[in-house]
Amino acid sequence: MPDATTDYIVEIEGLGFSRGDRPVLDDLSLGIRRGEVTAIMGPSGTGKTTLLRLITGQLEPERGDIRVDGRHVNRLSRRELYEMRQDIGMLFQQGALLTDYDVFENVAFPLREHTNLPERLIRQVVLTKLHAVGLRGAARMMPSELSGGMARRVALARAIVMDPKLLIYDEPFAGLDPISLGVVLRLIRNMNDALNITSIVVSHDVLQTAAVADRSFILADGKVVASGSPEQLRTHDSGFVQQFMHGHADGPVPFHYPAPDYAEHLLSRRES
Amino acid sequence: MRESIEKLGAVTLFFGRVLAALPQAALSRPGLVVAQIYNAGTVSLILIMICGFFVGMVLGLQGYDSLSRFSAEDSLGTLSALSLFKELGPVVTALLFAGRAGTSMTSEIGLMRATDQLSAMEMMAVDPVKRVVVPRFLGGVIAMPLLVAIFNAIGITGTYAIGVSVMGVDSGVFWSQLLSTVDLSDVAEGIFKSVVFGVAASLLAVFEGYTCTPTAEGVGAATTRTVVETAVSILVLDYLITAALI
């Protein structure tokens, strides 16, 4: 029986999940070590975001077992699930800030919902977290006035405001300019080490992820096809991993979607 | 047909979830509910007042025309009050409410769904049904009878303006006829209807927003469905309640 003191904060065994008839995850197993930055990589549509939603209990698996900090996620009641989530911070793809509230109130939101802290203390906590992401000066801006990179930093401040044990990033690099990207990369590393937490980064940006992750898992067709440090993956002997890590256009994943013979197709009169 | 039954089932289940979350959500954060009563009420207020006045004036013209054919113009106040209290007030207000407040509830919640704000709340261990849906639902349910009351009051004023000031019905007769014929039970029927319509209109609005496809297109389609479904359900419910009460 695993308990909360094991090396792994997230343990997944034999996980299966499908959407309609299409299997998304199939017999997937992996473990995420405490204190590390773990990347989950893979081509688009391989179920990376689905995996995150399963880990956080937003979706229910069809088969298999997911344990987060020793708790079996799919056996928790709604209340227990919400208790578990208070230990998890999550950063959504576009930040998912509450558009009705300004930056300060967004970061204060979890505190106001879950604690009875006096206003003075809330202010201090919020300003500390905003300072950590470099946006103390933007406290009174509305989400619509923020750039993509700033929005993600505010979302990060909000994700750490309850001092979580586990921080999850869903595509944190998508659509950022190089400077914002550098900031986010630095923040992921610093947050992980300074706050002594565990981070999961889901991304398909190989270069950025390799720069920040201690360990990576590569998913394809709903399974883990490779895992290891960025160095190990770069020299991995699987053709698919080579193609993915180096971004070759053609390889085990073919450039051409399956089609009839080219010459015949051009000469035929009808679209078959 | 199968789709409609499934939909009815989904709405009923959602209603159950809203009701289960309602006491705690309302008691722990009454401020959120008050804000939504204000939202749902004020956005519809001007519309309700203008439409109420015109409906009342039309009742004045048509009522006078019909009643004068058998020399019963004195009953104009009664006719207007009964029509408004029992039917037009609750029905027209609910239809206008669906178009104004209902659509904004649907698109607001739908947009929160499309931009992951609802998922973000769930991940922050905040139940969006409690935090977002219940206050809006309750705000709509409480605002509706108040709007109906305003609609009725302004409607009768409209009839009075036409009937007494233009058509020459005696002011004293207008009011005394109205007061002696209209029963408390007529008013109660209207209040009952307005509460039922408030529940139906608000429930459909929050349901469509909460369950919409999380895309721009999905939010648009959900908003349209809110108006159409609310209109149909209000008219069907109106018939059922009237048939049960008469």
Side-chain angles (χ1 to χ4, degrees):
Chain A
M1 190 65 197
D3 55 65
T5 58
T6 53
D7 287 348
Y8 295 99
I9 190 163
V10 178
E11 291 164 286
I12 296 173
E13 274 164 37
L15 182 65
F17 183 82
S18 37
R19 287 199 189 277
D21 294 335
R22 198 175 68 89
V24 181
L25 300 174
D26 181 26
D27 197 23
L28 179 131
S29 301
L30 58 83
I32 290 172
R33 285 172 200 269
R34 285 176 196 279
E36 288 190 344
V37 176
T38 303
I40 296 177
M41 297 194 283
S44 308
T46 42
K48 300 187 298 287
T49 300
T50 307
L51 179 61
L52 286 190
R53 290 183 183 266
L54 285 161
I55 292 175
T56 53
Q58 290 168 280
L59 292 174
E60 265 187 49
E62 281 156 20
R63 292 180 306 282
D65 192 26
I66 304 169
R67 287 190 300 276
V68 175
D69 213 14
R71 283 176 279 214
H72 295 266
V73 175
N74 40 323
R75 287 187 221 150
L76 299 178
S77 68
R78 186 186 287 272
R79 231 189 61 211
E80 293 168 320
L81 193 63
Y82 277 9
E83 254 166 48
M84 177 193 91
R85 285 180 185 163
Q86 294 200 28
D87 287 338
I88 302 178
M90 180 155 175
L91 198 79
F92 283 81
Q93 281 187 24
Q94 303 302 329
L97 296 176
L98 306 176
T99 41
D100 290 345
Y101 300 116
D102 65 14
V103 166
F104 184 94
E105 286 304 318
N106 262 286
V107 179
F109 185 82
L111 294 173
R112 294 200 195 285
E113 292 293 322
H114 296 303
T115 70
N116 284 316
L117 295 179
E119 192 55 39
R120 201 168 51 85
L121 205 54
I122 289 186
R123 188 167 166 273
Q124 279 186 4
V125 175
V126 171
L127 289 180
T128 314
K129 304 295 180 186
L130 278 175
H131 188 75
V133 297
L135 289 178
R136 190 162 43 84
R140 288 301 163 198
M141 284 167 83
M142 293 304 286
S144 54
E145 301 171 86
L146 304 175
S147 71
M150 286 166 88
R152 243 165 278 186
R153 282 151 74 183
V154 174
L156 181 56
R158 186 177 68 178
I160 57 171
V161 79
M162 295 289 285
D163 294 324
K165 292 181 188 165
L166 176 65
L167 203 46
I168 298 177
Y169 302 84
D170 188 5
E171 301 283 3
F173 314 117
L176 291 186
D177 65 82
I179 298 175
S180 306
L181 202 95
V183 171
V184 170
L185 273 177
R186 206 184 85 181
L187 282 173
I188 292 178
R189 192 71 246 180
N190 288 356
M191 291 295 165
N192 193 76
D193 300 346
L195 304 175
N196 197 20
I197 54 180
T198 309
S199 312
I200 303 177
V201 180
V202 157
S203 173
H204 47 235
D205 289 304
V206 173
L207 289 175
Q208 281 80 26
T209 313
V212 76
D214 298 305
R215 193 179 304 272
S216 306
F217 292 93
I218 298 185
L219 299 192
D221 300 326
K223 284 191 176 64
V224 175
V225 293
S227 66
S229 67
E231 235 9 79
Q232 286 169 328
L233 288 178
R234 230 172 313 220
T235 53
H236 200 275
D237 50 12
S238 139
F240 169 76
V241 175
Q242 283 298 320
Q243 185 188 1
F244 181 75
M245 293 300 289
H246 299 284
H248 301 311
D250 210 353
V253 179
F255 173 72
H256 288 290
Y257 194 79
D261 183 73
Y262 191 29
E264 261 176 47
H265 203 174
L266 287 178
L267 292 170
S268 70
R269 285 154 186 262
R270 291 183 296 116
E271 190 58 42
S272 54
Chain B
M1 188 64 201
R2 200 197 140 130
E3 255 173 48
S4 337
I5 293 171
E6 279 177 359
K7 177 108 188 196
L8 198 64
V11 174
T12 310
L13 286 177
F14 188 73
F15 191 33
R17 225 182 128 186
V18 170
L19 287 183
L22 199 135
Q24 206 204 337
L27 292 176
S28 65
R29 303 289 292 276
L32 289 176
V33 180
V34 173
Q36 291 304 329
I37 298 174
Y38 178 81
N39 265 357
T42 45
V43 296
S44 317
L45 194 56
I46 299 292
L47 179 74
I48 295 289
M49 290 167 78
I50 294 171
C51 294
F53 195 64
F54 276 96
V55 168
M57 288 198 296
V58 166
L59 277 175
L61 290 174
Q62 294 282 21
Y64 185 87
D65 181 58
S66 307
L67 292 172
S68 61
R69 293 183 197 187
F70 29 96
S71 314
E73 307 94 287
D74 291 350
S75 304
L76 185 62
T78 312
L79 173 86
S80 165
L82 286 179
S83 312
L84 285 167
F85 285 149
K86 288 158 74 86
E87 284 301 329
L88 290 172
V91 171
V92 177
T93 306
L95 295 178
L96 294 171
F97 179 89
R100 189 68 187 80
T103 50
S104 78
M105 276 190 219
T106 304
S107 54
E108 208 181 341
I109 299 177
L111 218 58
M112 293 179 86
R113 161 77 65 207
T115 52
D116 272 340
Q117 293 184 49
L118 296 183
S119 305
M121 277 191 193
E122 286 205 23
M123 278 309 302
M124 290 187 276
V126 174
D127 185 355
V129 171
K130 278 187 195 151
R131 186 63 174 68
V132 174
V133 171
V134 167
R136 284 170 176 75
F137 171 76
L138 212 51
V141 173
I142 295 173
M144 183 74 84
L146 303 175
L147 290 171
V148 172
I150 293 170
F151 185 94
N152 288 343
I154 292 192
I156 290 174
T157 314
T159 309
Y160 182 89
I162 292 293
V164 175
S165 313
V166 180
M167 297 301 186
V169 177
D170 182 74
S171 166
V173 173
F174 182 93
W175 290 118
S176 67
Q177 278 266 358
L178 191 161
L179 288 173
S180 63
T181 325
V182 179
D183 270 342
L184 199 59
S185 69
D186 299 318
V187 181
E189 182 183 340
I191 293 174
F192 177 67
K193 278 185 178 176
S194 68
V195 172
V196 174
F197 295 169
V199 170
S202 311
L203 178 66
L204 284 169
V206 292
F207 174 83
E208 287 300 344
Y210 195 76
T211 57
C212 79
T213 317
T215 57
E217 219 176 14
V219 177
T223 310
T224 310
R225 277 202 303 276
T226 295
V227 177
V228 175
E229 284 165 7
T230 310
V232 174
S233 1
I234 296 291
L235 295 172
V236 172
L237 284 169
D238 184 44
Y239 172 77
L240 293 177
I241 296 173
T242 311
L245 289 180
I246 272 180

